[in-house]
């Protein structure tokens, strides 16, 4: 793992809300801190309403984590495009985030409750 990436269990219970609806709640979330960036909460897929998340054709590549796949949230008020991402096959040093999704906090609310 890159020295500037730290992954640890996120303390407490975390919720993700999209357009006012709860699409996930977890006591098993992970907190990833990368350099000077704000911490990112990664939710296990098993704690998310995956029926509301549709994979898109968008992707990006991180030299430390691998290739990210993006997801659109199908909210009642309409789609929230590319609101979440997942490293389906993360690099060895960040393998803990496999089967987890993270969310853009500019598009949804990610909160500790």
């Amino acid at each position: 793992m890159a020295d500037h990436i730290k992954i640890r269990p996120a303390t407490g219970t975390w919720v993700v809300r999209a357009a006012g609806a709860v699409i996930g709640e977890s006591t098993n979330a992970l907190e990833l801190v990368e350099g000077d960036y704000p911490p990112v909460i990664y939710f296990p897929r098993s704690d998310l309403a995956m029926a509301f998340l549709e994979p898109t054709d968008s992707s990006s590549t991180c030299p430390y984590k691998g290739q990210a796949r993006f997801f659109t949230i199908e909210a009642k008020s309409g789609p929230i495009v590319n609101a979440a991402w997942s490293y389906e096959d993360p690099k060895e040093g960040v393998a803990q985030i496999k089967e987890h999704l993270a969310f853009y906090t500019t598009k949804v609310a990610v909160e500790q409750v």
Side-chain angles (χ1 to χ4, degrees):
M1 174 176 355
D3 291 338
H4 74 288
I5 297 177
K6 306 288 184 231
I7 301 171
R8 61 181 167 254
T11 306
T13 301
W14 288 83
V15 172
V16 58
R17 289 184 179 87
V22 173
I23 62 165
E25 182 174 325
S26 183
T27 57
N28 297 306
L30 297 174
E31 179 185 66
L32 184 145
V33 178
E34 184 172 1
D36 294 331
Y37 292 107
V40 175
I41 302 301
Y42 280 78
F43 289 81
R45 286 178 184 244
S46 59
D47 291 342
L48 296 169
M50 290 301 295
F52 295 100
L53 291 148
E54 290 293 326
T56 70
D57 292 332
S58 296
S59 67
S60 67
T61 302
C62 171
Y64 307 107
K65 296 184 292 277
Q67 185 171 7
R69 177 183 196 186
F70 290 85
F71 292 79
T72 291
I73 299 170
E74 299 297 338
K76 192 171 186 177
S77 59
I80 305 171
V81 179
N82 294 329
W85 71 91
S86 175
Y87 290 93
E88 312 272 307
D89 188 22
K91 295 197 175 199
E92 185 177 318
V94 294
Q96 302 110 294
I97 62 173
K98 185 177 178 81
E99 297 297 320
H100 288 68
L101 273 77
F103 296 84
Y104 284 106
T105 56
T106 55
K107 297 183 177 201
V108 301
V110 175
E111 306 165 325
Q112 186 178 20
V113 294

